[in-house]
Amino acid sequence: MATALALALSLGSVAFAQTKPNRYTTTGVAVSVTPEMTGAGAVSSGVTLPKPPPVTGSRANPVAHWGKPLPYPIVIADRRNNRLIEVTPDKRIVWEFASPDLKVYRGNEDVNFSADGRQLAVSEEDNFDLHLVDYENKAITWTYGIPDHRGSGPNLLNYPDDAHLLADGKVITADIRNCRILVIDPKTQEIATQFGTTGKCEHKPPQLLAYPNGATPLENGDLLFTEISGSWISRVTRDGVVKWSVRAPNVRYPSDAFPTVDGKQVIVADFSKPGRVVIFDPATGKATWEYFVKEGEGMLDHSSIARELPHTGDILVVDDLNDRVIVIDRQTRQIIWQYGEKNKKGHTPGLLNYPDGVDLDVFRDWKAAAK
């Protein structure tokens, strides 16, 4: 999820849906690294970690769930701690990937499991790169982008967000400030498909995109695009057919839209203060559920991810600038689970530092392993 963007950029353009980038030598534009971007440095919780259980589940057939308040462990992209951390529903840290090198790996802001649960796709907006991380070996296996260099040429990105490893082995990301969504082939390091035209930031999918910050794959292979400007959410096929395009209701700055568990509606967080979570029906464009608290403990501060939880229907939210990840009860709209303390940054157990992404570990039976 991006921080606030300057929406007036001037970049060179290339054709929509190009299959190969132009081949020219470039190193991009060097970016000064600020203390905020470096965050807490290369830190670890210090916890002695157990051996992970084997992968026995999948998204279609997940392992046994834990029930309320959180049905599965979660992997959190703890952005300013420069680490990934897995936390169980009973708040134990069971897995952690601390930055091996701050030059290469810093500011991880979104994290998503691969279809087989063995890899994690990580985007780093202000490090201008993407990574694949091997869960079991805790190793970076692939990188696209040049750290500390922004651009639009080969192997260059400008605020990449929301990386996913697709079922066909390609990686998709929303390259926000280049106003494009890229599908990259890790085998060739080339762009296989591009949605949007580089540097032309308007809403006319799939030819033009207005600062996209989400590109969520759906079960049938379609993609859910989120555009910041205009709060547009669009469902697009891999070959560029737009099935629908709707403005997210009551949302100022949409962040990384996801489908609801039944696939019929869309859930999206509003990256604002106070933040908001909205579930809406794309057939009508109308909200069917909202969470919005103007002040106090329940107020969200730049919430970047909201997902409906399987089995319970409750809502998992990454509450970025409150330094916490929470679960909101669908019926009562009360916070019923929280990891991290509001406005208290840290990297020791129970604390986070600007968490910015999350995914559910439905692949490993940590509940049985704990016994």
Side-chain angles (χ1 to χ4, degrees):
M1 177 53 247
T3 52
L5 297 175
L7 297 183
L9 304 174
S10 177
L11 301 168
S13 63
V14 295
F16 158 72
Q18 65 180 21
T19 56
K20 292 184 179 181
N22 296 326
R23 288 298 179 193
Y24 58 89
T25 302
T26 181
T27 57
V29 178
V31 175
S32 299
V33 178
T34 66
E36 179 191 7
M37 291 160 66
T38 305
V43 297
S44 170
S45 65
V47 171
T48 300
L49 301 171
K51 181 180 179 181
V55 171
T56 55
S58 65
R59 290 195 179 97
N61 295 289
V63 297
H65 66 88
W66 300 53
K68 287 176 81 85
L70 181 65
Y72 295 104
I74 53 175
V75 171
I76 302 168
D78 193 9
R79 182 168 180 161
R80 293 307 177 204
N81 280 330
N82 307 301
R83 65 175 181 175
L84 304 175
I85 185 172
E86 183 163 2
V87 177
T88 59
D90 57 5
K91 302 184 182 180
R92 289 176 296 118
I93 298 171
V94 292
W95 182 89
E96 188 174 20
F97 179 72
S99 173
D101 181 342
L102 288 176
K103 175 69 176 179
V104 175
Y105 189 96
R106 185 192 69 241
N108 44 203
E109 54 83 38
D110 266 336
V111 59
N112 293 289
F113 275 106
S114 59
D116 63 6
R118 300 180 188 280
Q119 295 188 79
L120 294 157
V122 179
S123 49
E124 298 186 326
E125 288 174 336
D126 53 20
N127 204 24
F128 308 98
D129 57 19
L130 312 172
H131 301 296
L132 292 179
V133 174
D134 184 298
Y135 180 100
E136 194 167 302
N137 294 314
K138 296 184 181 180
I140 297 171
T141 59
W142 176 79
T143 296
Y144 187 92
I146 301 174
D148 301 332
H149 290 75
R150 59 179 173 84
S152 59
N155 200 37
L156 288 170
L157 300 164
N158 195 352
Y159 247 62
D161 195 1
D162 197 26
H164 294 264
L165 180 58
L166 301 174
D168 63 3
K170 296 182 177 65
V171 174
I172 189 168
T173 191
D175 190 15
I176 299 177
R177 292 182 176 176
N178 282 325
C179 289
R180 62 188 184 177
I181 288 173
L182 304 179
V183 180
I184 302 161
D185 188 343
K187 293 180 180 179
T188 63
Q189 206 73 351
E190 294 184 343
I191 297 171
T193 307
Q194 176 172 320
F195 302 95
T197 303
T198 307
K200 293 188 176 181
C201 305
E202 303 172 34
H203 171 74
K204 189 182 177 182
Q207 292 89 352
L208 300 173
L209 298 172
Y211 301 94
N213 68 346
T216 305
L218 306 180
E219 284 188 10
N220 74 338
D222 289 353
L223 303 166
L224 204 59
F225 293 172
T226 310
E227 295 170 79
I228 299 168
S229 184
S231 299
W232 289 99
I233 315 293
S234 305
R235 182 167 180 162
V236 183
T237 66
R238 282 287 295 270
D239 56 2
V241 176
V242 179
K243 291 190 172 181
W244 52 258
S245 189
V246 178
R247 289 182 188 267
N250 306 327
V251 173
R252 290 180 290 171
Y253 193 125
S255 178
D256 301 0
F258 279 83
T260 52
V261 171
D262 64 8
K264 296 179 180 179
Q265 299 189 73
V266 173
I267 182 169
V268 62
D270 187 346
F271 191 70
S272 302
K273 183 180 181 180
R276 187 190 304 257
V277 176
V278 175
I279 298 176
F280 71 92
D281 183 348
T284 65
K286 296 185 180 301
T288 60
W289 185 90
E290 288 191 18
Y291 177 87
F292 181 65
V293 176
K294 291 184 178 180
E295 58 185 7
E297 186 65 23
M299 186 193 74
L300 304 176
D301 189 351
H302 291 81
S303 45
S304 65
I305 298 284
R307 297 182 64 172
E308 182 187 20
L309 289 169
H311 310 295
T312 69
D314 295 327
I315 309 301
L316 177 67
V317 179
V318 182
D319 191 15
D320 294 30
L321 297 191
N322 279 331
D323 300 308
R324 63 183 180 176
V325 177
I326 60 176
V327 175
I328 299 168
D329 186 280
R330 182 71 164 270
Q331 302 303 319
T332 67
R333 290 177 170 79
Q334 298 297 308
I335 297 172
I336 57 173
W337 186 92
Q338 177 172 309
Y339 191 85
E341 296 185 29
K342 188 174 181 180
N343 299 323
K344 184 177 179 180
K345 302 182 185 300
H347 60 270
T348 53
L351 296 177
L352 300 168
N353 186 351
Y354 194 161
D356 203 11
V358 70
D359 200 4
L360 303 172
D361 190 350
V362 301
F363 307 97
R364 296 167 183 84
D365 195 344
W366 281 106
K367 186 176 183 181
K371 296 177 181 178

